[in-house]
């Protein structure tokens, strides 16, 4: 059984929204000229490119992939071995964008992710994103039962 968990957009939320606008503009321009297809391609690339992790529970493998155009998965499968562990890692990201009038738009995101750690305790790949702190223990235990790994204490 395979399960896929999506993460954030590759270019951030502001560039992703810009990609949607360029895509719509390209569709309108394509009505008048076929050169609008270049805008459509660029808009789809910027707007829909994201990252995800696919976990194969039967074969004990995980694949972190960058999804070009949202559906072309580029990544390698990683075998999950017995000495590996999983744990929770918190991250605070801030996306900053400047307007033409030099105004700053900051978008702060706080995320909790379940990571796969190697034998030495170094994070390898993110496995899943969790919405709330209250839900993190349950999600970690659920993933632990499916993969049969130890939980890393932090």
């Amino acid at each position: 059984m395979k399960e896929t968990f999506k993460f954030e957009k590759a270019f951030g939320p502001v560039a992703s929204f810009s990609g949607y606008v360029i895509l719509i503009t390209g569709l309108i321009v394509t009505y008048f000229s076929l050169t609008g297809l270049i805008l459509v391609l660029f808009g789809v690339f910027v707007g829909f490119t994201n990252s995800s992790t696919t976990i194969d529970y039967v074969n004990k493998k995980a694949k972190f992939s960058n999804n070009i155009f949202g559906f072309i998965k580029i990544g390698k499968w990683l075998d999950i071995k017995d000495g590996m562990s999983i744990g929770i890692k918190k991250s605070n990201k801030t996306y900053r964008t400047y307007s033409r009038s030099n105004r700053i738009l900051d978008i702060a995101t706080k995320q909790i992710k379940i990571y796969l750690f190697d034998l030495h305790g170094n994070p390898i790949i993110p496995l899943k994103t969790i919405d709330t702190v209250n839900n993190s223990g349950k999600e970690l235990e659920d993933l632990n039962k499916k993969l049969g790994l130890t939980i890393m204490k932090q």
Side-chain angles (χ1 to χ4, degrees):
M1 180 175 116
K2 292 182 183 178
E3 199 170 6
T4 302
F5 302 104
K6 284 190 176 184
F7 297 116
E8 62 267 357
K9 300 283 186 179
F11 300 105
V14 176
S16 177
F17 178 75
S18 300
Y20 299 143
V21 171
I22 292 170
L23 169 67
I24 293 169
T25 304
L27 289 173
I28 294 169
V29 170
T30 304
Y31 178 75
F32 301 106
S33 172
L34 287 178
T35 56
L37 291 176
I38 295 170
L39 287 177
V40 170
L41 250 119
F42 183 71
V44 169
F45 176 73
V46 173
F48 292 108
T49 299
N50 61 17
S51 59
S52 67
T53 297
T54 303
I55 303 172
D56 185 1
Y57 297 112
V58 175
N59 298 323
K60 281 197 154 186
K61 292 183 178 185
K63 178 170 90 168
F64 180 78
S65 62
N66 290 313
N67 306 327
I68 309 297
F69 298 111
F71 63 90
I72 301 172
K73 295 185 176 188
I74 298 174
K76 286 177 29 177
W77 284 101
L78 176 73
D79 291 327
I80 299 175
K81 298 177 181 150
D82 289 334
M84 293 182 175
S85 60
I86 58 174
I88 294 177
K89 223 176 155 186
K90 296 178 183 177
S91 70
N92 297 324
K93 285 187 180 180
T94 303
Y95 297 97
R96 176 170 282 186
T97 304
Y98 296 95
S99 68
R100 289 187 62 177
S101 62
N102 259 353
R103 293 189 182 150
I104 298 172
L105 171 66
D106 285 338
I107 299 174
T109 59
K110 293 183 180 183
Q111 292 181 336
I112 302 169
K113 292 182 182 179
I114 297 177
Y115 271 82
L116 179 67
F117 292 92
D118 64 2
L119 301 170
H120 305 291
N122 300 323
I124 301 174
I125 59 171
L127 295 177
K128 190 175 186 179
T129 301
I130 304 168
D131 297 331
T132 62
V133 178
N134 301 336
N135 218 10
S136 63
K138 180 182 173 272
E139 296 286 337
L140 188 63
E141 286 292 330
D142 186 39
L143 208 56
N144 185 32
K145 287 179 185 175
K146 290 179 181 177
L147 292 175
L149 298 173
T150 60
I151 296 176
M152 181 178 206
K153 302 292 181 192
Q154 292 201 11

